[in-house]
Every structure is written in C-alpha cells, then in structure tokens.
Amino acid sequence: MSGATEKPAAASGARTSPSGLEIRAAYGPADVAPDLDQRLGDPGRFPFTRGVQPTMYRGRLWTMRQYAGFGTAAETNARFKLLLEAGQTGLSTAFDLPTQMGIDSDSPRALGEVGRVGVAIDTVEDMHALLADLPLDQVSTSMTINATASTLLAMYIVVAEERGIARGALSGTIQNDILKEYIARGTYVYPPAPSLALVAETFRFCAAEVPRWNAISISGYHIREAGSTAVQELAFTFANAMAYVQQAVDAGLHVDRFAPSLSFFFACHNDLFEEVAKFRAARRIYARLMKERFGASDASCRLRFHTQTGGVTLTAQQPLTNVVRVAVQALAATLGGTQSLHTNGYDEALALPTAEAATLALRTQQVVAYESGVAQTVDPLAGSYYVESLTDELERRALALLAQVDEMGGSAEAIARGFFQEEIARSAYEFQMRVEAGETVIVGVNRFTDGEEPPIIPAPDFSALEREQVARLAHVRATRDGAAVERALAAIRAAAAGYLPGASSRTPLMPLIIDAVRARASVGEISDTLAAAWGHYVPG
C-alpha cells in the first residue's frame, strides 16, 4: 500500500504555516491580543475584521461566479447558459492572450494563441455573441482583463445600449489591475504612468456613468499564483491598492466618490486556517489604511473581494483528488467571508475544464452553502485562539512588508527595482525546494503516488477556431463605416497625449473609446492608437 513505509511526523518540534509562521502545538488565552474585542469589532462595522455586512450569509449568500472562456464567443455563451441553469449567480469571463494584450486575431503576433486560454474578442460584434440572450440588467459580469480593460468595458456598455439596457442597470467588474501585470503576469501594453492614468479615468467614468460597476478588482490572486506567500499576497496587493487610490485622488477625485466601488481578488490555498486568517486580516488592514491615509468614510473602508481557489494547487496527477482540494479551499474562502467565489474544475491542470468538471465545481459551492452550516452564523471561527493569533501575526507581517514598499516610494518604484518580482521568485523557489525534499507534502505528487500517468484530455482544433475568428473580424472590417472608425481613432489619439506625465489638461477617454467601439473599431486598433501616443512598456 502506497505510503505504508512513510515515517510519521515528529511528535514535537517546529511546525510552520506555508507563509513561515511558527505554529505551536496548542493555543490559549495568552496567544490572543488583550484588546481582542476592540480589534474585532462587530460584523459590518469598522474595522470589518468579522465581515463587511452585519448578517453576512444569513442575509445573502456569496455570489457563485464560475470563470469561463472558450475559443469563440458563441461557445463561451453556451457555457454561461449551462452554468446559469445549474444555479450560478454571476458570470466571469476569461479572455485569450491576444485580447488581453490588445492584439487582433488576424495579427501575425496572435498566431497560435487565438482562443487558447480564453475567449477571443476583437470587436463589439464578438461581445454581442458572448452576451447573447443573457439578462445584463439582472446578472453581474466579471471580466479578467487589464491593459485593455477600458475597451472591453466600452464593448459591454455598447452591447447593452444596442439592446436597450441603460448603463445604470449594469453591474459587474473589470479587473483593470495593471500594476500586478508588471509584477506577476506580463500582459501589459503601455508604460506604467499612462496606464495608471487610464485606470483613474475608468474610476471617474464608472462613478459618474456606471455606478453599479466595479472599476477595478485589485488582484492578489495572480501574485499568489506566481509563487508568493499569503503574507506577500496581502502586502503587495495593498501596496498596489494604495497606488491606485493615490492616483485617483491626485487626479482630483474625492476618495469617497470612487472607493466604495473598489473590489479585490484573492487566491485561496490549502491551509484552511491560514487562509481564513488571511481574509480576516485583509479586511482589517485595508480598513485602517483607507482611514489613516485618505480619511475615507467607513463605507469606503469595506474590503469587498472575490476569491478563486488556487490554480497552482491543482495537480495533473490523480486529478480527482483536486475535488477535495477545491472543497477545502471553498470552505476556507467562505469561513473567511468572501463576497463571491470561483471553484476550479478538477481537470484544469490538464486542459480547459470540461462541462462535467465545471458543474461539479459549482455543486461544491452549493454543498458548502446549503449543507455545511457555514452560512448559519457570521465569522464562525471568531474567538478561536489559533485563528485570532494567526490573524494578528499575518497582519503584523504584511504591514511590515508594506512598510518596506512605502520606504522605496510605493509600488511603481518597487516594481522598477524588481523588489516584488525578486521576493516572489524567492518564495516560489523555497516552496519548490520543500516539495522536492518532501517537507511539504503534495498528495499524489511526492507522497501517496500510484505510478499512473496523468490522463489526456482532447484539445479543441485551435487552428480551425483561429480561421473562423479571423473570418469574423474580416467581415466586420468589410462592412463597417471605415471613415467613422478613423475619426473615432483620431479623437482617441488626440486625447491620449493628456495622459502622459506633465500634461496640463486631460480629456476624458472613456466616452471616446465607447464611440470607437460603437463604430466597430477593434481591440487591436484602439490599443495601437493608445500605444502610438504612450509607447510600449519594455521591462528593464
């Protein structure tokens, strides 16, 4: 039997959490802060340690928002409908790399990448197909898009407009978190300064025109996926958040005008108690930062966040074991008070999730919601000596790391110095060394293995998909009003100069991008127009 010769763990000796926090054998009253009641507060009250709403899930369950994106808009629309029929309560869209990086599907730079990691969107006609027959005034939509977030938001708005749905009725989120792209993912297009200015412009636009839309989802998820610890995830995410808030304030927006629409996106990994403590610490850290640095009202200090179970925790070996991992992570996210949740399909380490795996992932959330008792009371682990001690220690370490970033001059300078990148790379290396040494157990990978090869899941015909997408784009180019497109792009080009450092005035860009989208300009054409004014970012 596999594992029969494994040596048992030592009965005593040092134990640590995945973030390196020392874990004692038992916890008691001496391990929690003497002012615990003050540090916790009541649910729904500053500093929101126990949750952002007084009744949390007793009043309303978290949004079950499964992530989906398949080569074509029509295929993704079909998956959306399947998930909604299965009980999903929100949409979440993955885009392919060309769309994320402002490259049209017919560009030589897109060759071989069209539709591979998400849906290909070139023009608003694709967005119409993506959202066909979906009740946009009744369901919220999250879009994981960053450098081209303003263009995809414009497309969503134009689709609604052309279907007779008012902007004010739309709800959803664009990720729009460009700083973490320089840190962890790499799907940036423009240099940081104009990119940040464009983020501030989306804040202004959403506050004025689309009040139910979250203009940003500040992402710790991708920082964690790149190899960070939970402490680094907190510190680096909030460093970025402070940079965005400062940028908007410097652009003339009052913090309380836009801050209530800020949202966050965190990962959830396998150490249930550290993850619960992380979410509780996150709420307290954010509330105090916003109050102390910007004088924000309590409503602007509420940390609202989406959670996704950890993609990097999934294994290609024994993939059905991932069902258990996802269930543990979903439990941690909900015990920690998330506002919405995506649970990964068990086969995502092998391919895009099958319909069966996606449905089972949703059912996992539903079991947690309706059968586990998690939703019965607010913050059920509050007062646990262990969890409260972890919460305090994660907060302390995250704030210490955030102070290092502040000393460098903030996120932009820390990115330029490579600080974030080096810290994450070090943590990822140390984790891998522990796995290879057997100190960190990965079931089915370095212990309890069965010798079987991972299954092979057939892949779509991406070459055929690419040809079809290019043909759709060619049809739009052939049938649109070319002169109207050129006028719209020229207006964007003229306004873009105002977003460069030192510019004396700034014309709102979002209305101009919407005009270009309405004229059937493509994602690539709009991106290239902005890049002509701002340049392309090249890492140092």
Side-chain angles (χ1 to χ4, degrees):
M1 178 176 170
S2 178
T5 61
E6 299 286 347
K7 292 181 180 180
S12 60
R15 299 282 182 91
T16 59
S17 78
S19 288
L21 279 64
E22 182 180 348
I23 307 300
R24 293 186 289 284
Y27 287 76
D31 295 306
V32 299
D35 60 344
L36 178 62
D37 288 347
Q38 181 180 348
R39 292 174 66 77
L40 289 182
D42 293 325
R45 301 288 296 275
F46 188 93
F48 306 107
T49 310
R50 302 199 61 196
V52 293
Q53 299 295 338
T55 59
M56 288 300 288
Y57 306 140
R58 283 175 69 99
R60 178 186 175 186
L61 287 174
W62 62 91
T63 300
M64 299 179 191
R65 191 186 302 280
Q66 292 300 107
Y67 195 39
F70 298 87
T72 68
E75 288 175 298
T76 305
N77 177 262
R79 177 60 63 88
F80 281 160
K81 290 174 180 174
L82 174 71
L83 290 168
L84 288 172
E85 289 170 2
Q88 176 171 295
T89 52
L91 304 177
S92 184
T93 311
F95 298 95
D96 71 357
L97 282 176
T99 304
Q100 293 182 51
M101 301 188 72
I103 301 168
D104 285 335
S105 295
D106 61 356
S107 168
R109 295 170 61 206
L111 187 63
E113 291 293 343
V114 175
R116 280 192 176 267
V117 298
V119 61
I121 300 291
D122 289 306
T123 72
V124 72
E125 296 299 340
D126 292 324
M127 189 65 85
H128 268 292
L130 178 69
L131 302 173
D133 304 318
L134 300 176
L136 304 186
D137 53 349
Q138 299 173 37
V139 65
S140 65
T141 303
S142 174
M143 296 191 285
T144 303
I145 196 74
N146 296 282
T148 56
S150 56
T151 301
L152 273 295
L153 173 58
M155 288 184 172
Y156 197 93
I157 289 169
V158 171
V159 167
E161 170 188 288
E162 293 178 352
R163 287 172 49 181
I165 301 171
R167 294 177 184 179
L170 302 178
S171 61
T173 304
I174 42 173
Q175 191 162 98
N176 205 19
D177 177 7
I178 197 63
L179 286 174
K180 68 96 174 51
E181 296 300 318
Y182 304 115
I183 296 169
R185 287 189 76 238
T187 64
Y188 44 71
V189 179
Y190 324 111
S195 294
L196 284 170
L198 183 57
V199 169
E201 159 63 1
T202 59
F203 286 4
R204 179 206 64 78
F205 175 81
C206 288
E209 300 284 340
V210 202
R212 297 176 61 200
W213 197 274
N214 299 313
I216 194 168
S217 176
I218 304 164
S219 176
Y221 181 85
H222 298 99
I223 291 170
R224 191 70 178 278
E225 288 286 285
S228 83
T229 64
V231 169
Q232 291 168 332
E233 181 185 7
L234 289 176
F236 297 164
T237 301
F238 289 131
N240 289 346
M242 295 302 100
Y244 293 127
V245 174
Q246 190 64 59
Q247 181 79 19
V249 169
D250 291 346
L253 293 174
H254 190 281
V255 65
D256 290 331
R257 185 182 176 198
F258 65 87
S261 70
L262 301 182
S263 66
F264 287 77
F265 175 25
F266 290 112
C268 196
H269 282 201
N270 289 327
D271 190 305
L272 185 144
F273 296 105
E274 182 173 83
E275 293 301 309
V276 171
K278 178 187 77 177
F279 296 130
R280 299 173 83 249
R283 279 191 293 271
R284 192 158 69 206
I285 292 169
Y286 181 68
R288 291 177 173 167
L289 288 173
M290 292 296 284
K291 184 74 73 177
E292 294 167 5
R293 297 194 182 191
F294 300 101
S297 68
D298 284 4
S300 297
C301 295
R302 297 176 192 269
L303 177 74
R304 298 171 305 107
F305 62 93
H306 171 72
T307 305
Q308 181 171 338
T309 57
V312 296
T313 69
L314 302 178
T315 62
Q317 301 92 333
Q318 302 178 23
L320 282 174
T321 308
N322 293 326
V323 175
V324 184
R325 294 187 176 98
V326 169
V328 169
Q329 294 166 15
L331 185 62
T334 51
L335 286 169
T338 192
Q339 276 62 68
S340 68
L341 178 62
H342 164 89
T343 36
N344 290 328
Y346 67 83
D347 54 2
E348 288 188 49
L350 301 166
L352 291 171
T354 59
E356 177 191 42
T359 301
L360 179 57
L362 177 58
R363 293 286 181 256
T364 302
Q365 293 204 46
Q366 291 164 337
V367 169
V368 171
Y370 295 102
E371 299 185 30
S372 74
V374 161
Q376 296 285 65
T377 190
V378 179
D379 193 20
L381 294 182
S384 157
Y385 301 133
Y386 180 38
V387 171
E388 296 298 354
S389 177
L390 282 177
T391 301
D392 288 348
E393 184 63 10
L394 283 165
E395 179 184 22
R396 185 188 69 78
R397 293 195 183 202
L399 287 174
L401 189 52
L402 178 59
Q404 288 185 252
V405 178
D406 288 340
E407 289 172 6
M408 295 178 194
S411 278
E413 182 60 31
I415 290 168
R417 295 189 190 185
F419 175 72
F420 291 156
Q421 300 91 315
E422 290 174 8
E423 287 289 299
I424 293 168
R426 177 182 54 77
S427 294
Y429 175 78
E430 291 173 354
F431 173 79
Q432 186 60 34
M433 291 299 99
R434 292 195 300 273
V435 171
E436 292 184 10
E439 297 169 10
T440 294
V441 175
I442 309 294
V443 173
V445 176
N446 65 354
R447 197 181 295 185
F448 312 113
T449 58
D450 58 16
E452 293 185 8
E453 291 296 318
I456 296 174
I457 297 177
D461 185 347
F462 287 110
S463 296
L465 185 154
E466 183 172 312
R467 289 192 297 271
E468 293 167 6
Q469 183 65 24
V470 168
R472 279 188 289 273
L473 176 56
H475 176 73
V476 173
R477 291 194 202 277
T479 55
R480 69 189 183 182
D481 183 340
V485 172
E486 288 303 317
R487 287 193 299 270
L489 294 176
I492 292 173
R493 189 178 303 112
Y499 289 72
L500 291 169
S504 58
S505 62
R506 185 174 293 176
T507 300
L509 260 176
M510 277 301 300
L512 302 179
I513 294 173
I514 290 172
D515 288 344
V517 165
R518 194 181 290 118
R520 273 44 188 177
S522 68
V523 170
E525 289 166 339
I526 294 170
S527 179
D528 289 347
T529 299
L530 293 172
W534 298 343
H536 287 89
Y537 176 70
V538 178

